Amino acid sequence: MALGDCQGGPAFTHTFYDDFRIIRANLVDKTGFQLTTTNRMNPYVVYIDPQLGHIGRHETEARKQHLTKSIKTATMPMSYVARALETDETRGLMKAVVDGESGQILGFTCLGIEGGEIMSIVQVAMMGEVPYTTLQQAVFAHPKLAESLNNLWGFLKWRGIRSLCSMLSLFRSHS
Ligand SMILES: Cc1cc2nc3c(=O)[nH]c(=O)nc-3n(C[C@H](O)[C@H](O)[C@H](O)COP(=O)(O)OP(=O)(O)OC[C@H]3O[C@@H](n4cnc5c(N)ncnc54)[C@H](O)[C@@H]3O)c2cc1C
């Protein structure tokens, strides 16, 4: 049994800490709930300037893994984020990858001011399987960076007629 970096895979402190939690719960606490690494989320932040935060699948991964599904992407420059404008730090962009049929968020990347914090908000939405439409309609305090998660989805791109059909069915299911 190997824990942490030496087992390969993403070498992050939070990954190693989750390994520890799993072992403690399964072998020491023996709560009866078997924790596992299956479907474990692997967020990361690169502390460059501005920050790069990422969670879930990149577009290319999503397209490979969901061949039968319609994948949509939304890319929005940080210059569209009110808080970024106010702090005069408008470099970068955010990008989301969405399952066009269910509206589930598959991945999110933010290169921008506090990109890791914005990514963590999206991660919580993904953990709760919250569709992007909920974030689009959420009332976030103004002018917080989170507010950008209202506007990002206006940049969703559709690919082909199949995506158009998905859009219509999603609209019907949320209206
Ligand atoms: C410069 C740097 C920056 C990083 N920044 C981040 C970051 O910002 N965010 C993030 O999530 N991750 C970051 N990481 C990665 C993170 O530090 C590792 O993923 C994490 O520490 C892995 O934990 P671990 O317990 O597997 O290994 P380690 O933390 O390396 O612990 C292994 C321990 O085993 C000990 N050891 C080794 N050989 C023996 C031996 N023969 N006998 C006894 N003890 C031994 C070592 O001394 C060490 O204390 C960074 C790593 C580096 C190098």
Side-chain angles (χ1 to χ4, degrees):
M1 184 185 299
L3 310 182
D5 283 2
C6 67
Q7 66 175 313
F12 296 121
T13 299
H14 44 276
T15 311
F16 123 76
Y17 181 62
D18 191 48
D19 284 349
F20 158 72
R21 265 194 309 233
I22 291 169
I23 294 299
R24 184 182 60 185
N26 294 353
L27 298 185
V28 181
D29 295 346
K30 295 184 181 168
T31 56
F33 298 105
Q34 285 292 303
L35 299 188
T36 169
T37 59
T38 305
N39 296 327
R40 173 160 72 184
M41 287 187 156
N42 283 309
Y44 61 80
V45 178
V46 185
Y47 290 91
I48 51 177
D49 182 19
Q51 268 176 37
L52 173 70
H54 176 79
I55 178 70
R57 295 179 180 84
H58 292 283
E59 180 182 354
T60 44
E61 290 170 325
R63 292 199 185 284
K64 271 188 204 157
Q65 291 169 7
H66 294 262
L67 293 176
T68 60
K69 290 186 176 177
S70 121
I71 301 293
K72 299 184 297 184
T73 61
T75 304
M76 183 173 79
M78 291 302 285
S79 56
Y80 280 64
V81 178
R83 185 71 185 158
L85 285 163
E86 286 162 3
T87 50
D88 199 22
E89 176 49 283
T90 54
R91 292 174 298 166
L93 53 85
M94 58 179 71
K95 176 175 178 176
V97 182
V98 167
D99 178 335
E101 291 171 7
S102 67
Q104 293 296 311
I105 304 164
L106 303 176
F108 176 82
T109 307
C110 183
L111 172 67
I113 177 172
E114 297 295 353
E117 304 298 338
I118 303 173
M119 174 276 289
S120 296
I121 296 170
V122 177
Q123 178 182 355
V124 173
M126 291 168 70
M127 287 162 63
E129 300 186 354
V130 171
Y132 77 85
T133 45
T134 303
L135 293 181
Q136 190 170 31
Q137 291 152 17
V139 179
F140 293 113
H142 173 79
K144 300 303 294 176
L145 288 166
E147 198 182 35
S148 58
L149 299 174
N150 283 159
N151 304 333
L152 170 62
W153 318 104
F155 290 82
L156 276 173
K157 282 191 297 190
W158 315 87
R159 268 198 182 178
I161 190 70
R162 182 175 166 73
S163 299
L164 183 62
C165 294
S166 304
M167 179 176 71
L168 290 172
S169 66
L170 192 65
F171 176 75
R172 273 201 305 274
S173 64
H174 289 282
S175 58

